[in-house]
Amino acid sequence: MATIKDIANRLGISISTVSKGLNGASDISDDLRQLVLDTAVEMGYSTKRSKKVEYRKLCLFVTNVEYKTLDTFGYDIVLGFKQNAFKHKWDVTVVEIDVEFQEQNKYDTYLLQHGYCGAFILGLALHNPWMEQMKTTTMPTVLFDNFIDGNQNVGYLGTDSREGIHMAVEHLVNLGHKKIAFLNGSPGSLVSDERQEAFESAVKEYNITCNENMMAKGFFVADSAHYHVPGFLKEGATAIVCGNDLLAQGAIETCIKEGYRVPEDVSIIGFDNIPIAATTEPPLTTISQQRNELGRCAYTTLRSLINHVSISKTMLRPQLVERESTTVVSRELKK
Amino acid sequence: MATIKDIANRLGISISTVSKGLNGASDISDDLRQLVLDTAVEMGYSTKRSKKVEYRKLCLFVTNVEYKTLDTFGYDIVLGFKQNAFKHKWDVTVVEIDVEFQEQNKYDTYLLQHGYCGAFILGLALHNPWMEQMKTTTMPTVLFDNFIDGNQNVGYLGTDSREGIHMAVEHLVNLGHKKIAFLNGSPGSLVSDERQEAFESAVKEYNITCNENMMAKGFFVADSAHYHVPGFLKEGATAIVCGNDLLAQGAIETCIKEGYRVPEDVSIIGFDNIPIAATTEPPLTTISQQRNELGRCAYTTLRSLINHVSISKTMLRPQLVERESTTVVSRELKK
């Protein structure tokens, strides 16, 4: 691990100048500060100040995920992370990172510059600029729903998608469904890929009918259900597994608009169990993610990484929450 | 969750008799005690006494794994578990469970009978009697290197085997090896299956030569190396990846006995990094498992399960420890 002295030697400047660069003092030039930070990152320097209360700072980066109100997917995750971190006397800053932000800031440099000891990143997509930097970051980092191969500093946290999709299909099969469609989330996300694989393997295992016209990717937004669901219905699907609750909400709306009853004609099952799931009409059967616990576990995993215990994966089990949007298959479709 | 009263109602006996049955009092018959325990297990009763110090008891079951002395695989895992549990004021009992023990005791009944709030099981093989009971146990349980589908009470803990085998093959490929053999561990263990898959995928990824005669399963004991390694050498292997350090130690001995030098003629790489790895001749390059940390994480995972946070998987990263048993491939084998 490089020290401040190592950085000073490399750059041929004094230790106090390096300190100023790392601590954001105003009496050195911006160019020199950037050079100090870049060199510190390159040499694997990291702040060792986590025992002093004033420096116990963690960052929670959020992108592509709603989190500000109680009804959003991210709310409980952010809350759980903060609750557990605060309990252990860490300060947490939430920073929104759009693509432009990621392009303008190097990940390690940003953390170092702001004195963060580590970060939890919620919502990073495979094609986002920072994703590439995760392969080499020297900063303790926990990624929600993203796995990085071979970097000791990065841990994965998520819900077991395979088990969740399997539960959903098993639930429908037990209700007699044999033609089950799948409205997955966004392409280019690890969970969508995992869920696709899980769904296809469940189709084989339960010997149910599903062809390519009965599977689609829907970007996790309700609108895309309106686009895909009519096709599923034409194929004769009696049930639809959705990649999240918003897609399921859209699927219910579309079915009703097309003249089908939910659940009498078509059973619909969501994923996540966000608050709207209890208030859709009918209330939604869904695969629950324990989101507050995911946030709490993100903190414990991050703390382990900060303490040089390289946890590569922490996975929680999903749970089936049965409400009213699924029922036994009717003998024939209305249409 | 069933209460003592529920059990009493079911059996038509008094609450105090149920209490006696659960607490091992001597003034009821053995048959009645067994009936109370069996019924308690069937109804999903579990002790809720974890806040009273005298009842903070965890059990660490061990089978198929050596753990008593510093040079064994299990030593640091057991130690790490105890260290973390003791720190949080839990009492830990280590119980050895051979097949006979497992056949004579029902898992849930045993825990309930002895007042354990949960257990960590080290070494259970897929074919062991208790494995089947893991699918339905209502007791918080962490399994080392074994994954159970769909039971919220059971968590998996282990090192990422895929990443470990990948690291080993990459290390050898970087040294110029193109013919690499694989001496895997026991058949019928989850890690052996995972490592087999990982090795075969690495073979494809790096486009190296490996046929069926260059892969074998060796039961994790040195002796089996003597049986398989001569065949590998005949096939022209210049390197051998081994499923643990004991197999690697046996592989070194066999190579030397057959007139090959290690590492000049044949590079050998182990798995685990137990203490003997540093003292073999030559010292062994190996894939390290952080065993003390695994034990510590087993405790934190178990504590989460006891608190109804169903962690399904906690995985740690392996690390490559380079010593002297691997080197750049020589142009030709001596023979």
Side-chain angles (χ1 to χ4, degrees), chain B residues 134-148:
Chain B
M134 293 300 119
K135 294 180 188 166
T136 52
T137 179
T138 60
M139 296 292 177
T141 304
V142 173
L143 296 178
F144 184 78
D145 274 351
N146 272 309
F147 182 75
I148 297 293

Side-chain angles (χ1 to χ4, degrees), chain A residues 147-156 160 162-163 166-167 290 293 297 300 303-304 307-320, chain B residues 147-156 160 162-163 166-167 290 293 297 300 303-304 307-320:
Chain A
F147 182 74
I148 297 293
D149 227 4
N151 185 344
Q152 304 267 349
N153 304 303
V154 182
Y156 161 107
D160 190 334
R162 202 201 53 73
E163 191 163 303
H166 202 273
M167 271 179 184
Q290 305 181 68
E293 296 302 346
C297 287
T300 51
R303 188 183 52 182
S304 295
N307 292 328
H308 307 289
V309 178
S310 54
I311 294 183
S312 86
K313 202 173 263 193
T314 305
M315 207 177 256
L316 273 75
R317 290 194 193 264
Q319 285 170 313
L320 175 69
Chain B
F147 182 75
I148 297 293
D149 228 3
N151 185 343
Q152 304 267 348
N153 304 303
V154 182
Y156 160 105
D160 190 335
R162 203 201 52 73
E163 191 163 304
H166 201 273
M167 270 179 184
Q290 304 180 69
E293 296 302 346
C297 286
T300 52
R303 187 183 53 181
S304 295
N307 292 328
H308 307 289
V309 178
S310 55
I311 295 184
S312 87
K313 203 173 260 193
T314 305
M315 207 177 256
L316 272 74
R317 290 194 193 266
Q319 284 171 312
L320 175 69

Side-chain angles (χ1 to χ4, degrees), chain A residues 116-136:
Chain A
Y116 295 118
C117 298
F120 172 38
I121 313 186
L122 178 60
L124 206 60
L126 293 176
H127 53 79
N128 281 169
W130 274 9
M131 203 61 198
E132 188 63 28
Q133 296 178 39
M134 292 301 119
K135 295 181 188 165
T136 52

Side-chain angles (χ1 to χ4, degrees), chain B residues 16-246:
Chain B
S16 71
T17 308
V18 174
S19 270
K20 285 176 183 174
L22 293 173
N23 298 324
S26 58
D27 57 345
I28 65 168
S29 72
D30 284 348
D31 284 352
L32 182 56
R33 177 179 307 113
Q34 194 58 48
L35 181 65
V36 167
L37 287 166
D38 287 347
T39 308
V41 168
E42 188 195 335
M43 296 179 75
Y45 173 81
S46 69
T47 44
K48 278 188 179 175
R49 304 175 297 190
S50 67
K51 279 179 184 165
K52 291 193 195 163
V53 173
E54 66 271 36
Y55 292 120
R56 288 174 68 91
K57 285 171 64 182
L58 301 176
C59 195
L60 200 173
F61 295 109
V62 187
T63 182
N64 305 318
V65 167
E66 302 291 325
Y67 71 98
K68 283 187 180 156
T69 54
L70 215 115
D71 57 334
T72 57
F73 177 76
Y75 185 85
D76 273 344
I77 299 177
V78 170
L79 183 66
F81 183 81
K82 283 183 170 178
Q83 285 171 333
N84 217 353
F86 291 168
K87 194 172 124 190
H88 294 88
K89 304 203 171 69
W90 287 87
D91 190 37
V92 176
T93 312
V94 178
V95 176
E96 294 180 31
I97 47 164
D98 55 17
V99 168
E100 198 187 337
F101 181 96
Q102 293 176 45
E103 279 166 352
Q104 284 171 357
N105 293 279
K106 281 190 202 160
Y107 176 70
D108 282 16
T109 310
Y110 185 87
L111 289 186
L112 210 52
Q113 194 165 16
H114 294 84
Y116 294 119
C117 298
F120 172 39
I121 313 186
L122 179 59
L124 205 60
L126 293 177
H127 53 81
N128 281 169
W130 274 9
M131 202 62 199
E132 188 62 28
Q133 296 178 39
M134 293 300 119
K135 294 180 188 166
T136 52
T137 179
T138 60
M139 296 292 177
T141 304
V142 173
L143 296 178
F144 184 78
D145 274 351
N146 272 309
F147 182 75
I148 297 293
D149 228 3
N151 185 343
Q152 304 267 348
N153 304 303
V154 182
Y156 160 105
L157 171 90
T159 298
D160 190 335
S161 281
R162 203 201 52 73
E163 191 163 304
I165 291 296
H166 201 273
M167 270 179 184
V169 173
E170 190 179 44
H171 169 69
L172 294 169
V173 166
N174 289 342
L175 293 170
H177 293 273
K178 292 192 175 70
K179 287 190 166 186
I180 303 176
F182 182 39
L183 184 55
N184 200 350
S186 298
S189 97
L190 181 71
V191 283
S192 295
D193 293 351
E194 281 180 359
R195 290 174 189 177
Q196 189 69 32
E197 209 180 300
F199 186 78
E200 290 172 20
S201 108
V203 162
K204 276 184 203 150
E205 186 181 336
Y206 292 106
N207 198 22
I208 53 179
T209 303
C210 183
N211 57 44
E212 287 198 1
N213 300 326
M214 290 166 75
M215 293 192 283
K217 289 197 169 163
F219 297 89
F220 291 127
V221 293
D223 276 353
S224 65
H226 309 154
Y227 182 76
H228 293 295
V229 167
F232 296 165
L233 297 171
K234 253 178 224 148
E235 292 285 330
T238 64
I240 306 171
V241 175
C242 299
N244 72 0
D245 295 337
L246 298 175

Side-chain angles (χ1 to χ4, degrees), chain A residues 156-293:
Chain A
Y156 161 107
L157 172 89
T159 299
D160 190 334
S161 282
R162 202 201 53 73
E163 191 163 303
I165 291 295
H166 202 273
M167 271 179 184
V169 173
E170 191 180 43
H171 169 69
L172 294 169
V173 166
N174 288 342
L175 292 170
H177 293 273
K178 292 193 173 71
K179 287 192 165 185
I180 304 176
F182 183 38
L183 183 55
N184 200 349
S186 297
S189 96
L190 180 71
V191 281
S192 295
D193 292 351
E194 281 179 1
R195 290 174 189 178
Q196 190 68 32
E197 209 179 300
F199 186 78
E200 290 172 19
S201 107
V203 162
K204 275 184 204 152
E205 187 180 336
Y206 292 106
N207 198 23
I208 54 179
T209 303
C210 184
N211 57 43
E212 287 199 0
N213 300 328
M214 289 167 74
M215 293 191 283
K217 290 199 168 161
F219 296 91
F220 291 126
V221 293
D223 276 353
S224 64
H226 310 154
Y227 182 76
H228 294 295
V229 167
F232 296 165
L233 297 171
K234 254 179 225 148
E235 292 285 329
T238 64
I240 306 171
V241 175
C242 299
N244 72 0
D245 294 337
L246 298 175
L247 287 170
Q249 186 181 29
I252 292 176
E253 286 164 14
T254 311
C255 284
I256 289 166
K257 204 174 134 202
E258 299 275 319
Y260 293 81
R261 293 166 301 164
V262 177
E264 295 83 351
D265 300 324
V266 184
S267 285
I268 289 173
I269 185 163
F271 208 110
D272 291 345
N273 195 28
I274 61 174
I276 64 144
T279 62
T280 53
E281 185 53 52
L284 193 64
T285 296
T286 188
I287 302 298
S288 170
Q289 298 204 49
Q290 305 181 68
R291 286 170 295 119
N292 187 281
E293 296 302 346

